[in-house]
Amino acid sequence: MSDLTKIAEIADEAARTGTAIAQFSDKEVLTLDEAYAVQALSMQRRYARGEKRIGIKMGFTSRAKMVQMGLDEMIWGRLTDAMREEDGGVISFKKYVHPRVEPEIAFLMRKPLSGNVTVFEAMDAVAAVAPAMEVIDSRYDNFKFDLGDVVADNSSSSGFVIGNWCAPDSDISNLGLVMSINGKASQIGSTAAILGNPARSLVAAARMVASAGECLNEGDIVLAGGATAASAMAVGDSVVTDFQDLGTVSFTVGE
Ligand code: 0L1
Ligand code: MG
């Protein structure tokens, strides 16, 4: 497929207007390089509208997520300031196409990180860690996509909520978590589901952004990827995730 600029425009418009589109792979499969080029081009359109890049998200870093979506390769996408929702706040359902929510760990960077690094080097670059939830929203009909489709769609990035920042040396390797919707457990798991330790997702993030000629910058937020499968949400839902030792993060779903 050659007109990556046109594809980026279609992906960006779908995200901007919260409108479902057909998978690009229905017509022609995007290579991974093409898909990341589309993602970068569609993000340029957001930046031109005034959104600021404030970090990145990792995807498919846990078995549960890979199984849910039928893909087995790690991916990444960009986060902007417009995607951040307030902890304890109300998110607007109509901004999204068919949003789902998943529990995550967030990192706040205190210094730049890029390339091949060890877990020790990665964690040394972290200012704080926090309990978080990602609101993912594929712009494709029925939340169905292949690898190229999802990468082109900024890896389903659409919203995220971060709880209180905790000390960077907090042990995040194997914390139990329960994500409840309207007081009923919807997903139960452990942060260990994220590559055995979410710190390994930060290592992968440093490597993957470097391959795009980018860097994790001081002040960036990095989402480590869903620890469990994602759950669908509806207007009126109250979503709370309790993380062992780390705290709670929550939001409600408004119109
Ligand atoms: O955290 C994740 O693993 C999100 C993957 C993004 C793709 C998706 O499930 O829509
Ligand atoms: Mg996620």
Side-chain angles (χ1 to χ4, degrees):
M1 210 183 264
S2 53
D3 196 350
L4 301 184
T5 305
K6 182 71 200 157
I7 297 169
E9 187 184 330
I10 294 167
D12 176 54
E13 269 306 286
R16 191 182 67 78
T17 58
T19 311
I21 53 172
Q23 296 173 44
F24 297 120
S25 56
D26 282 351
K27 292 203 174 129
E28 198 172 331
V29 171
L30 290 169
T31 66
L32 207 47
D33 283 349
E34 287 172 334
Y36 277 112
V38 169
Q39 184 188 125
L41 287 165
S42 78
M43 293 310 294
Q44 289 305 330
R45 297 173 59 89
R46 290 194 198 217
Y47 304 148
R49 287 196 296 272
E51 290 184 43
K52 306 253 176 313
R53 176 198 176 284
I54 59 165
I56 75 147
K57 57 88 56 86
M58 294 293 288
F60 302 138
T61 53
S62 69
R63 245 356 268 154
K65 283 294 310 182
M66 291 177 184
V67 169
Q68 182 178 37
M69 303 315 298
L71 293 172
D72 59 7
E73 211 166 307
M74 277 190 284
I75 59 174
W76 68 284
R78 277 99 169 171
L79 303 175
T80 73
D81 55 347
M83 298 177 191
R84 188 161 183 178
E85 306 276 7
E86 202 184 327
D87 182 24
V90 180
I91 71 161
S92 166
F93 191 85
K94 64 172 177 288
K95 264 174 57 178
Y96 301 96
V97 183
H98 31 213
R100 296 177 179 178
V101 56
E102 56 195 19
E104 303 238 356
I105 289 287
F107 298 100
L108 180 66
M109 305 308 295
R110 74 172 181 90
K111 63 178 185 180
L113 189 72
S114 182
N116 291 321
V117 296
T118 62
V119 166
F120 177 81
E121 287 164 337
M123 290 309 294
D124 185 52
V126 168
V129 297
M133 289 189 282
E134 183 179 19
V135 178
I136 49 168
D137 191 25
S138 173
R139 267 55 66 153
Y140 300 110
D141 290 328
N142 304 316
F143 224 114
K144 288 268 186 304
F145 44 69
D146 77 358
L147 194 62
D149 289 322
V150 66
V151 167
D153 184 29
N154 196 22
S155 299
S156 302
S157 305
S158 58
F160 62 96
V161 183
I162 297 184
N164 287 335
W165 290 108
C166 303
D169 59 354
S170 308
D171 183 357
I172 53 166
S173 61
N174 184 13
L175 299 178
L177 62 93
V178 180
M179 187 174 80
S180 305
I181 301 186
N182 303 326
K184 197 167 157 217
S186 177
Q187 304 286 346
I188 299 175
S190 162
T191 56
I194 303 165
L195 297 175
N197 178 347
R200 294 202 184 106
S201 178
L202 186 59
V203 168
R207 190 182 64 245
M208 291 177 88
V209 293
S211 68
E214 291 189 24
C215 188
L216 301 174
N217 302 309
E218 178 186 347
D220 270 3
I221 290 165
V222 179
L223 292 178
T228 68
S231 296
M233 308 179 283
V235 173
D237 282 349
S238 161
V239 186
V240 180
T241 302
D242 283 311
F243 289 76
Q244 177 192 347
D245 298 341
L246 224 50
T248 296
V249 59
S250 68
F251 62 85
T252 56
V253 186
E255 298 269 332

